[in-house]
Amino acid sequence: FTSSVKFELFQRLNTLGSKLSDQEVRNCLLVMINKPFYEWLRNLAKYQNFIDAIAIPDSLQEQQYNMELALRFIMLRDIDVAAIKTTQDLGAFITEKMIEYASSTTFNKCKEEAIFKRTFDYLYTNMNEYSFKKYNSTKGRFEGKFLLSAFESVAIGVSKNIDIVETKTDSEFEAKLIDHWSNPDFIAKTGSGVNVTSRVPSIIPIGISTFSFV
């Protein structure tokens, strides 16, 4: 079976019985394609500072959402995000990129792992569990639940500027993160009615610009 046929088979089987999350289906496929890559990604997703920084509920971890976030991080760092504008199904796009990475002989796991760990080491050390929560300017604090849009913009922005970001104190970084939440272009793309194929190509460049500290 080709990878696409295997995935289609899993999707059809997934309509019966207990429904798996998208990432649980991807994990099944990944084990079949390249088990060492699956184990590498799973270990990244279990990295303690990453787990503590995203601070998602246990129920989402049980659905392997932490693995999906780790995969999104790797994918969004790698691709030209403008390509997302052309897709109708981001979930399928993520799956296709995962298959591409797992099948590649040139994908540099050591490099990606090092950037991943540096990014989440910095974020958790300096912001604890508040990196991906909304800033309430009235109350002067970060609050609420984990926000995917914040993860996409902040984590990718930090990772792309990690050499610069690591030189900043926690107070300097927090001030920049607060500035990020006052950016009207970022706010405009984080509402519930914004299509994902419009959101992602807009907010990632904003994050990269913000955390360049220029």
Side-chain angles (χ1 to χ4, degrees):
F1 291 118
T2 65
S3 297
S4 59
V5 171
K6 289 176 181 176
F7 185 63
E8 184 178 350
L9 177 61
F10 271 111
Q11 285 183 311
R12 290 182 179 181
L13 290 174
N14 199 30
T15 61
L16 305 172
S18 298
K19 187 170 177 61
L20 301 176
S21 69
D22 287 349
Q23 190 58 44
E24 287 174 314
V25 175
R26 290 191 194 103
N27 289 349
C28 294
L29 177 60
L30 195 52
V31 168
M32 296 174 70
I33 298 172
N34 186 337
K35 189 174 181 181
F37 190 96
Y38 161 78
E39 292 172 343
W40 173 77
L41 182 62
R42 181 183 62 179
N43 287 335
L44 278 191
K46 292 166 63 178
Y47 186 60
Q48 196 60 54
N49 279 349
F50 170 69
I51 289 291
D52 291 341
I54 60 176
I56 59 174
D58 290 344
S59 58
L60 287 180
Q61 289 194 50
E62 290 169 4
Q63 296 172 30
Q64 303 300 306
Y65 190 53
N66 53 317
M67 280 191 73
E68 176 171 328
L69 292 175
L71 179 58
R72 279 181 184 245
F73 176 86
I74 292 164
M75 179 198 76
L76 293 173
R77 273 183 39 78
D78 173 66
I79 65 169
D80 176 358
V81 291
I84 292 176
K85 292 180 180 178
T86 64
T87 183
Q88 299 298 314
D89 185 344
L90 183 61
F93 186 85
I94 293 171
T95 301
E96 289 169 6
K97 297 304 294 185
M98 179 194 76
I99 292 169
E100 179 183 319
Y101 298 147
S103 304
S104 172
T105 58
T106 58
F107 182 81
N108 192 331
K109 289 189 289 187
C110 291
K111 176 185 175 183
E112 293 301 326
E113 181 172 341
I115 293 293
F116 182 95
K117 289 183 175 179
R118 287 172 68 188
T119 298
F120 292 102
D121 284 348
Y122 182 89
L123 287 171
Y124 185 66
T125 299
N126 289 278
M127 290 300 300
N128 297 310
E129 74 271 26
Y130 298 110
S131 297
F132 312 121
K133 296 183 178 182
K134 187 172 183 177
Y135 183 73
N136 185 323
S137 58
T138 302
K139 297 180 180 178
R141 67 188 187 197
F142 295 92
E143 62 182 17
K145 62 182 181 179
F146 167 90
L147 294 175
L148 179 57
S149 56
F151 177 83
E152 291 164 339
S153 190
V154 175
I156 303 305
V158 168
S159 76
K160 290 287 191 177
N161 296 289
I162 191 63
D163 291 339
I164 297 165
V165 170
E166 285 177 333
T167 69
K168 304 301 179 181
T169 64
D170 56 352
S171 58
E172 288 174 319
F173 182 79
E174 182 176 355
K176 184 61 72 171
L177 187 56
I178 291 171
D179 285 345
H180 190 55
W181 278 105
S182 66
N183 184 320
D185 294 327
F186 174 66
I187 297 299
K189 290 294 184 179
T190 58
S192 58
V194 180
N195 188 288
V196 65
T197 57
S198 171
R199 181 189 78 226
V200 174
S202 299
I203 66 174
I204 288 179
I206 292 172
I208 292 171
S209 176
T210 297
F211 298 106
S212 67
F213 281 84
V214 173

